[in-house]
Amino acid sequence: MNEQINVSGMVLSAMPIGENDKRLVILTRELGRISCFARGARRPGSTLMALSNPFAFGSFTLVEGRNSYSLISASIREYFTELAFEQPGVYYGYYFLDFADYYGREGIDGTDMLNLLYLTMKAILNPHLDNRLVRRIFEIRIMTINGEYAPDPALMSPSALYVVRYVMSAPLTKLYTFEVKPEVLKELENALNRQTDRILDRPLRSRRVLNEMIRT
């Protein structure tokens, strides 16, 4: 039997496979984004059932196979089950997972993206924070981590540019600690909508659903 591997990560997506299994995509600190199979996770009473859902964050024990990994067990630190009762917070959550999946690659260091995801999920559960601002902070930082964001000072007000530069360079733990004026938030929304339209080479269904929820 292959040696077991312990990784820290968050489940980005879970897909049913066959009658009893699931295929998971996990963003890990050590291996980047990986796919793994949770055998029997859909079987009633399975110890893997609660471990193999989106948003689950913790330590995962895997075995590497020829083409993928198999999930053996996990110690979950946060399930973020509260998101299911947050409207439209849960749609923001799925969008953040989807964006992380878009950038994730196997073999990269996933530390910054994983930490950003965890803190962002905490932020959207904070009733004192504006989810609209949380979204834009997340977008700026994840694009910065992946080298795809550089603001154009000529197209931004000094206030909006200050916010962007702060978000690009601040410690992750300081990202969700401020508010902005409505006009600055609107400017950030317009600028980041244009940027994400430009860089995404495939549509994110979660983005479309989130935008529809916000409009309604």
Side-chain angles (χ1 to χ4, degrees):
M1 182 175 178
N2 291 343
E3 184 178 354
Q4 294 184 354
I5 304 168
N6 292 311
V7 298
S8 299
M10 181 179 287
V11 178
L12 301 181
S13 64
M15 178 184 298
I17 299 292
E19 293 185 4
N20 297 311
D21 304 338
K22 281 186 176 182
R23 177 183 177 273
L24 310 181
V25 176
I26 305 176
L27 177 64
T28 73
R29 190 184 313 278
E30 299 85 356
L31 303 173
R33 186 193 68 184
I34 62 170
S35 297
C36 73
F37 289 94
R39 314 278 181 192
R42 299 171 62 208
R43 187 179 297 120
S46 170
T47 58
L48 299 183
M49 181 177 291
L51 314 178
S52 55
N53 291 311
F55 304 109
F57 174 86
S59 176
F60 298 84
T61 300
L62 313 169
V63 169
E64 185 175 9
R66 181 174 299 177
N67 299 311
S68 65
Y69 296 88
S70 293
L71 176 63
I72 304 302
S73 63
S75 176
I76 302 301
R77 176 177 168 183
E78 294 276 1
Y79 288 96
F80 291 106
T81 52
E82 312 97 308
L83 280 174
F85 306 102
E86 293 288 330
Q87 302 292 336
V90 66
Y91 296 99
Y92 282 95
Y94 278 111
Y95 171 61
F96 300 146
L97 294 183
D98 211 5
F99 217 147
D101 182 79
Y102 176 83
Y103 276 124
R105 300 289 185 275
E106 187 167 359
I108 67 171
D109 182 349
T111 301
D112 286 345
M113 280 205 296
L114 181 61
N115 290 342
L116 176 63
L117 261 185
Y118 176 79
L119 292 171
T120 304
M121 297 306 172
K122 286 289 191 181
I124 58 175
L125 289 172
N126 186 337
H128 303 295
L129 296 177
D130 185 338
N131 285 343
R132 293 168 59 200
L133 179 59
V134 170
R135 172 185 179 176
R136 302 311 172 172
I137 291 172
F138 174 83
E139 290 172 341
I140 293 169
R141 192 54 176 252
I142 197 169
M143 288 189 288
T144 300
I145 290 171
N146 289 280
E148 290 200 313
Y149 189 73
D152 186 345
L155 299 177
M156 305 188 77
S157 70
S159 295
L161 185 60
Y162 176 85
V163 171
V164 166
R165 286 175 171 167
Y166 176 83
V167 172
M168 292 177 70
S169 60
L172 290 177
T173 54
K174 299 294 185 181
L175 288 183
Y176 301 112
T177 59
F178 64 91
E179 299 177 352
V180 298
K181 294 180 178 180
E183 61 269 23
V184 174
L185 177 56
K186 185 63 177 178
E187 183 179 350
L188 291 173
E189 289 179 323
N190 290 336
L192 287 158
N193 285 341
R194 291 193 298 269
Q195 176 73 358
T196 48
D197 284 341
R198 183 163 57 249
I199 67 165
L200 293 174
D201 59 11
R202 61 175 173 84
L204 301 183
R205 181 176 179 273
S206 58
R207 182 176 181 234
R208 176 178 59 79
V209 171
L210 175 58
N211 289 339
E212 290 175 355
M213 287 296 300
I214 294 172
R215 283 195 293 268
T216 58

